[in-house]
Amino acid sequence: MSERPDMPGHEPRTVLLRNGTVHSPADPFATAMVVERGGVAWVGSEGAADSFADGVDEVVDLDGALVTPAFTDAHVHTTATGLALTGLDLTGVPTLADALARVRAHAAARPADRVLLGHGWDASAWPERRPPSRRDLDEATGGRPLYLTRADVHSAVVTTALIELVPAVSGLPGQVLDAPLTGDAHHAVRAAAYAGLTPGQRAEAQAAALDRAASLGIGSLHECAGPEISGTDDLTALLALAAGRPGPRVVGYWAEAIASANEASRIRELGAIGAAGDLFVDGSLGSHTACLHEPYADGPHAGHTGTAHLDAAAVAAHVAACTEAGLQAGFHAIGDAALTAVVEGVRAAADKLGLARVRAARHRVEHAEMLTPEHIAGFAELALTASVQPAFDAAWGGDEALYAQRLGVERARTLNPYAALLRAGVPLALGSDSPVTPLDPWGTVRAAAFHRTPGHRISVRAAFTAHTRGGWRAVGRDDAGVLVPGAPADYAVWESGDLVVQVPDHRVASWSTDPRSGTPGLPDLTPGTPLPVCLSTVVGGRTVYSAHGGPNE
C-alpha cells in the first residue's frame, strides 16, 4: 500500500493524545500516544506523557476515549456504495410492493437522470418470493432505463428501455425470458447503465462513500474494480479523487486475467497493485451462480450446479503470469467447485515456478465461503489470503435463511469457517463487499465473533486484528494497521463502554482474560449492546473525520 502523498499546505501536525486508552501491543496499559510526521512516534503511560507536552503542536485530551488502529475494509465497490447511499437503496425492503413504491418515488425525484440506478433487492425475504418483473419496472419508471441489482450484485432486473440500449444482450448467456440477468448479459447491461453516469454523478457517489467510510473509523479501502464491474475510468477517477482529498486511503485492484508478465503493465498503468479482486471463478449463492460440486437444493432446474467462469488451468496461467510480474493475483470464488479450481490452479503455478515464489506473492481469494478441510489446507500451503465478509453469515446464515434455502441445512452450516482458517494459519482480511452489505466495521467484527454456526466463531481480538492489520498484510505491508512506533498514524477515536477480552464461545481459544496478563481490551460486542461510536478518524496524521464537524485538516 503506497503512502498518501503530501497535500499542499497541510503538513501533518505533531500531536499528543492523552487521558484515554490506546490499543497497542507496544504497551497494553497505554493511555497516551504521540503522532509526528504522519506516523506513530511514541506510545506509553500518562505519567510519561508529561515530558512530551511542551514539544508538540497540539495536546488532545481523550477524556477516557478509546484509540485503535483505523479499520481496513478489504473488499469495497466504492462507486456502487456511493450510489446506494445517495440514490435508490432497496436493502431491507420487506415486500415486492414496497420495492416498487420506492422505484416510483425515485424515478419521480430524478427526472434528469439518463439512467436510474438502484441496489439491494432480495426476493428470498419477500412474501411474494419473486423479483420485480420487467413489466412491473416499466410501469414504475414510466418506461425509463433502470438498472436494479440484487443484494449480492450478481444479478439484476432492468427495464425494457435499458435492454434496448444493449441490443446484443439477447444473444448473451444469462438472458432468460423475464428472469433477472446474470453472467455476460448482466455485465453488458451493467456497462451500459454505468456509462450513463456523468463524471459529476460518479464523483459525488465516490465522495459520499469515502466520507461514510471515514465516519465509521475506516482508514483504508480495497477497491475491487474490473472490466465486468466498472470501467477503467471509474477506477482511475476514484484513485485520483482519494489521493487529492482528505479521507481514507484507497488501494486499487483490477480483475482482469493476464496471460504473460508483459500484460502486467496495463494493470500498473491503471494504478492497481494487483490483477485481483472480483476476477470471477464463479458467481453467488443468492443468484444460483456460485459453482458447486453437488446441485443446489432449490435450483432453477434439477441438477443445477451454478456457473464456472475459470477452470484450474486458467487460474494457473493467471497466477503464474502475475507471480512472474511481481503482481498479486486474486479471484472471486464462493462455491466449493470454484474453490477447488482455485486451489488446484494456484498449486499448479507453484509446481511450475516454485512454492516459495508463489507464497511470497500473497495471492488472495475473495469471499471463500464454501471451504472444505482440503481447501483450507491448500490455502495454508500456498499462503493464500482469505478476504472474507462476516456480514454475509449474519445476513444469510443460520438454518432458515438464504444459505439453507440454497444448499440445505447441513451444507449451509459448513460456510465461512473462520475458526478453522485461523487454526490452519491462513491469513484473514475482513471486509464488507459494500454495497452488498453496508460499511460497518464493528458490526463485521461482531459477526465474526458471533457467527451463526458456533464452531466457526473466532475471538473478538482475532476478528479485530483481521479487520485492521489483516487488510494491510493483504497488500504486503506488515508494518501497519497497529499502533506502535514507526507505523503509519492511521487511527480512530471511539466512544465505547467497558473494555473486555471477549471470547463469545467456550470453544474459542483466547488469551488470558486476567488483567495481569496485559492483553489489551476491546469493546463488548455482545449482540444487542450498542456498538462504539466514532469520534474522529485520522489517516497519515491528518484528521479526515470529526464528529464535532469543522474542516478536515
Side-chain angles (χ1 to χ4, degrees):
M1 183 183 294
S2 60
E3 295 295 333
R4 174 188 292 293
D6 285 342
M7 297 185 67
H10 289 280
E11 290 300 319
R13 296 164 62 83
T14 301
V15 178
L16 167 64
L17 299 93
R18 63 185 306 177
N19 188 29
T21 298
V22 179
H23 185 88
S24 171
D27 182 347
F29 305 107
T31 62
M33 180 171 74
V34 173
V35 173
E36 185 176 24
R37 296 179 183 176
V40 177
W42 172 83
V43 175
S45 66
E46 192 61 31
D50 291 335
S51 62
F52 293 97
D54 293 335
V56 300
D57 298 317
E58 181 182 2
V59 177
V60 175
D61 184 350
L62 294 169
D63 193 24
L66 171 66
V67 181
T68 72
F71 286 100
T72 293
D73 192 312
H75 192 120
V76 176
H77 303 286
T78 307
T79 301
T81 296
L83 290 170
L85 290 169
T86 60
L88 176 57
D89 185 2
L90 299 183
T91 303
V93 171
T95 70
L96 172 60
D98 289 326
L100 292 172
R102 289 203 189 184
V103 171
R104 289 188 192 93
H106 182 72
R110 308 283 296 209
D113 288 3
R114 289 181 287 185
V115 177
L116 300 167
L117 297 108
H119 166 74
W121 61 269
D122 182 0
S124 71
W126 293 347
E128 298 90 347
R129 290 297 177 99
R130 72 167 181 88
S133 68
R134 198 161 296 166
R135 178 180 295 178
D136 291 334
L137 297 176
D138 287 347
E139 183 277 327
T141 61
R144 296 168 63 190
L146 167 72
Y147 170 73
L148 191 59
T149 49
R150 191 186 179 280
D152 59 12
V153 197
H154 282 270
S155 59
V157 290
V158 300
T159 56
T160 302
L162 183 57
I163 287 288
E164 289 173 349
L165 296 177
V166 194
V169 73
S170 60
L172 294 175
Q175 160 79 319
V176 180
L177 298 177
D178 198 31
L181 301 174
T182 61
D184 292 346
H186 176 214
H187 299 152
V189 171
R190 173 162 53 195
Y194 273 74
L197 284 175
T198 66
Q201 284 176 302
R202 182 172 59 208
E204 176 191 16
Q206 291 172 346
L210 295 177
D211 289 345
R212 173 62 66 88
S215 75
L216 296 169
I218 297 171
S220 301
L221 302 172
H222 297 180
E223 165 66 14
C224 292
E228 296 180 343
I229 301 163
S230 56
T232 56
D233 289 348
D234 188 83
L235 175 61
T236 56
L238 171 63
L239 296 177
L241 178 70
R245 71 193 292 274
R249 306 172 192 262
V250 176
V251 178
Y253 285 99
W254 184 251
E256 183 173 350
I258 64 172
S260 69
N262 291 335
E263 294 181 25
S265 59
R266 169 172 168 75
I267 308 298
R268 292 194 174 96
E269 286 167 3
L270 292 174
I273 71 164
D278 278 331
L279 181 52
F280 296 119
V281 179
D282 67 346
S284 74
L285 291 166
S287 292
H288 290 103
T289 51
C291 192
L292 314 182
H293 282 305
E294 300 296 331
Y296 281 85
D298 66 344
H301 57 76
H304 180 72
T305 57
T307 305
H309 297 293
L310 297 175
D311 61 13
V315 169
H318 181 69
V319 170
C322 287
T323 303
E324 290 180 324
L327 278 178
Q328 270 187 304
F331 305 93
H332 163 119
I334 287 178
D336 53 359
L339 288 160
T340 295
V342 169
V343 171
E344 289 180 353
V346 178
R347 186 175 285 127
D351 290 343
K352 175 183 177 182
L353 301 177
L355 179 60
R357 194 173 176 191
V358 167
R359 285 176 59 89
R362 302 193 191 191
H363 302 309
R364 53 190 282 173
V365 182
E366 309 301 315
H367 315 308
E369 290 198 83
M370 207 172 173
L371 292 160
T372 65
E374 291 74 23
H375 295 141
I376 294 171
F379 272 47
E381 171 198 357
L382 301 163
L384 296 173
T385 294
S387 171
V388 298
Q389 296 76 40
F392 287 8
D393 175 73
W396 302 306
D399 290 354
E400 297 180 358
L402 175 71
Y403 290 159
Q405 294 171 22
R406 294 290 185 269
L407 303 173
V409 170
E410 292 307 312
R411 278 194 295 175
R413 288 176 178 170
T414 69
L415 265 59
N416 302 301
Y418 304 139
L421 286 164
L422 287 183
R423 284 195 299 269
V426 175
L428 292 185
L430 303 193
S432 63
D433 198 9
S434 180
V436 175
T437 62
L439 300 170
D440 179 14
W442 285 114
T444 296
V445 173
R446 172 185 279 172
F450 293 91
H451 196 294
R452 291 184 182 275
T453 302
H456 298 332
R457 293 174 179 172
I458 59 177
S459 70
V460 168
R461 180 177 184 271
F464 177 80
T465 299
H467 211 354
T468 51
R469 197 170 193 180
W472 284 87
R473 285 174 166 167
V475 296
R477 288 284 299 271
D478 294 331
D479 61 336
V482 61
L483 299 181
V484 297
D490 289 21
Y491 62 90
V493 181
W494 305 93
E495 179 183 293
S496 67
D498 293 339
L499 303 182
V500 297
V501 178
Q502 188 169 32
V503 181
D505 188 278
H506 71 279
R507 288 164 288 193
V508 178
S510 71
W511 296 83
S512 172
T513 56
D514 187 328
R516 292 171 297 179
S517 70
T519 303
L522 286 165
D524 181 358
L525 300 183
T526 303
T529 60
L531 293 173
V533 175
C534 186
L535 301 176
S536 63
T537 305
V538 174
V539 175
R542 297 184 178 88
T543 301
V544 300
Y545 168 76
S546 173
H548 303 299
N552 292 333
E553 292 183 0

